[in-house]
Amino acid sequence: MTRFLAHSAFRLLLLVAAVSFALGSSFVSSTHAQEKAPKGLNAAFQHAAKEFDVPRDLLVALAYAETHFDDHNGQPSLDNGYGVMHLVDNPKVQTLNEAAKLLRIAPDTLKTDTEQNIRGAAALLRSYANGLGLGDLTRKDLTEWYPAVAQYSHATNDAFARFYADQVYTFLNQGLSGTDKRGETVMVGAEEIQPKRGKYQDAVSIQSTDYAPAIWNPAYSGNYEVANREVDYDIDTVVIHTTQGSYNSAISWFQNPSSHVSAHYVIRSSDGQITQMVREKDIGYHAGRTYNLRSVGIEHEGFVNDPSWYTDAMYRASAALTRNLCLKYNIPMDRTHIIGHVEVPGATHTDPGPNWNWTYYMQLVTQSSGWEAIVDNSSSNFTASANWGVSTYSTQRYGSDYRYANPQAITDTAWYKFTVPASRNYEVFVWYAANSGYNSSTPYVVVSSTGNKVVNVDQRVNGGKWVSIGTFALNAGTFNAVGVSRWTAGTGYVIADAVKLVQR
């Protein structure tokens, strides 16, 4: 009888543990807890995936996005994130402590033990999945995990949560391969996945009005100073930084009220995507008071001691941005005015560090093959219908006049024809007269070698100067390379003035 009661009590304990797991409360697999710890990164991912019923490839993609599989010897990232899964412990984000509670182990263990760090992230993802109602079958489907990945980002808005999750799913679709500090390679094979975005489907990012290719995602208001630079203070310097963390962690940290730091721009390693967090007119907190007043700060995703983060896509995107700033504010394109954080007098930081290729970067900022071309609206290489009027109203015009038209959902594009000398990359600059009554979202159409690309420009601001809308691959030949469309949801006149191409 005593043996029967003991057996029944044991079964009851198992049932309670199972219910606790299903409800997403603190949980740990007793079977796996008793197993010998796995050896190596691949084994750790496989072990955690099996234990918590989380897709292995999803764990790997998250780790690669956050750290490139580098635990940085237990040292924290910019926003106090730890380990290959970047479990965070700061006043705003508490994923480290949440994971420790789920695993019922000390938080400090997750900081230095890679296997436990991965288990912690897997436990978090599983708890998010439980909250989303993912059952046994749906948990095996990678398309269903998108909202859980978005939640893992702890973004301050749905638009950036989508941005984060999209990047993880890009790695899943394209495949990835990385090597940890012990030389072990971890891979994910390419797989076509169409994620189910749920509530994030309609979350749309806002474009920057200072630099058209950038996304606008502002820093916390207390982490920078509102100003009116170029009136209050001259801008004569660009300061190059390395985030010491992931793209997402830097953005999160600048939005954290406790950080008291910010930069104007943050650039992603994998594809050169840019997020603007402080307006250029305002003062970011990134390089000490004296240089904060006079500079624009650009943060680059990565770590000073790991060259794998400094990709060609990042260099090119950053150089295009820096060149745009130099042209806009008449900053000399030299190493006296384009400097690293380490070169700021009195700086205690070492970024961007010895792995940053200054020679290549400055070549990208300053280089010109000698070929560039401008087409004004008065040129024979410009064509537009009679719906486009001619105006001399604004003194910000390029040349003697410019064209204008009312926005309308019709195909009536004003085109600029160029004779492109070679199939390669070209930076596209646009000139327009700005006015508060002009269009808030004018579509510029670039006929690239991979299809038409559309960049929306706010023509209420930044008029009377060359404004870069990005660098694009163009085919050689004579063709309508850039157009201005009237098909926009923005309000106010659409302006077509001049366009410049510069070979890169």
Side-chain angles (χ1 to χ4, degrees), residues 124-274:
L124 278 174
L125 285 169
R126 176 58 189 275
S127 70
Y128 299 158
N130 289 348
L132 293 165
L134 299 189
D136 291 344
L137 292 178
T138 51
R139 285 198 303 274
K140 300 184 185 307
D141 184 353
L142 273 170
T143 68
E144 298 281 356
W145 283 86
Y146 187 97
V149 175
Q151 189 174 346
Y152 192 91
S153 74
H154 287 273
T156 57
N157 58 69
D158 286 353
F160 194 74
R162 170 174 173 166
F163 197 66
Y164 176 86
D166 279 350
Q167 176 61 18
V168 173
Y169 274 80
T170 295
F171 286 136
L172 290 170
N173 276 279
Q174 295 179 349
L176 65 90
S177 177
T179 304
D180 73 359
K181 62 186 180 183
R182 294 173 294 185
E184 181 178 0
T185 299
V186 183
M187 300 179 65
V188 170
E191 180 180 358
E192 187 173 346
I193 301 169
Q194 296 294 331
K196 297 176 182 177
R197 292 189 174 90
K199 73 171 186 176
Y200 302 100
Q201 182 62 46
D202 298 321
V204 179
S205 298
I206 301 171
Q207 294 301 119
S208 160
T209 56
D210 282 338
Y211 186 62
I215 290 169
W216 171 244
N217 194 12
Y220 172 67
S221 59
N223 291 344
Y224 64 93
E225 181 180 332
V226 175
N228 187 22
R229 291 201 298 176
E230 287 295 280
V231 175
D232 298 340
Y233 309 97
D234 289 336
I235 299 173
D236 63 6
T237 305
V238 177
V239 180
I240 302 299
H241 301 266
T242 300
T243 60
Q244 289 300 102
S246 69
Y247 182 70
N248 177 68
S249 68
I251 291 170
S252 177
W253 189 233
F254 294 159
Q255 292 177 330
N256 191 320
S258 66
S259 74
H260 308 298
V261 293
S262 64
H264 294 85
Y265 294 95
V266 185
I267 303 182
R268 190 163 66 189
S269 168
S270 62
D271 57 2
Q273 177 61 61
I274 303 173

Side-chain angles (χ1 to χ4, degrees), residues 36-57:
K36 189 176 180 180
K39 293 182 179 180
L41 205 56
N42 281 291
F45 282 123
Q46 194 65 41
H47 182 89
K50 181 180 178 182
E51 180 179 2
F52 296 101
D53 199 15
V54 175
R56 176 263 184 194
D57 286 359

Side-chain angles (χ1 to χ4, degrees), residues 14 28-36 47 50-51 119:
L14 289 179
V28 61
S29 166
S30 60
T31 301
H32 287 275
Q34 292 169 5
E35 288 180 2
K36 189 176 180 180
H47 182 89
K50 181 180 178 182
E51 180 179 2
R119 288 184 70 237

Side-chain angles (χ1 to χ4, degrees), residues 6-81:
H7 180 68
S8 298
F10 179 71
R11 292 181 63 188
L12 181 60
L13 284 172
L14 289 179
L15 179 61
V16 170
V19 171
S20 176
F21 185 96
L23 292 176
S25 59
S26 298
F27 57 83
V28 61
S29 166
S30 60
T31 301
H32 287 275
Q34 292 169 5
E35 288 180 2
K36 189 176 180 180
K39 293 182 179 180
L41 205 56
N42 281 291
F45 282 123
Q46 194 65 41
H47 182 89
K50 181 180 178 182
E51 180 179 2
F52 296 101
D53 199 15
V54 175
R56 176 263 184 194
D57 286 359
L58 185 66
L59 284 174
V60 173
L62 271 170
Y64 188 79
E66 290 286 4
T67 67
H68 285 195
F69 310 136
D70 192 342
D71 67 359
H72 301 284
N73 298 314
Q75 296 302 306
S77 68
L78 177 76
D79 62 337
N80 227 41

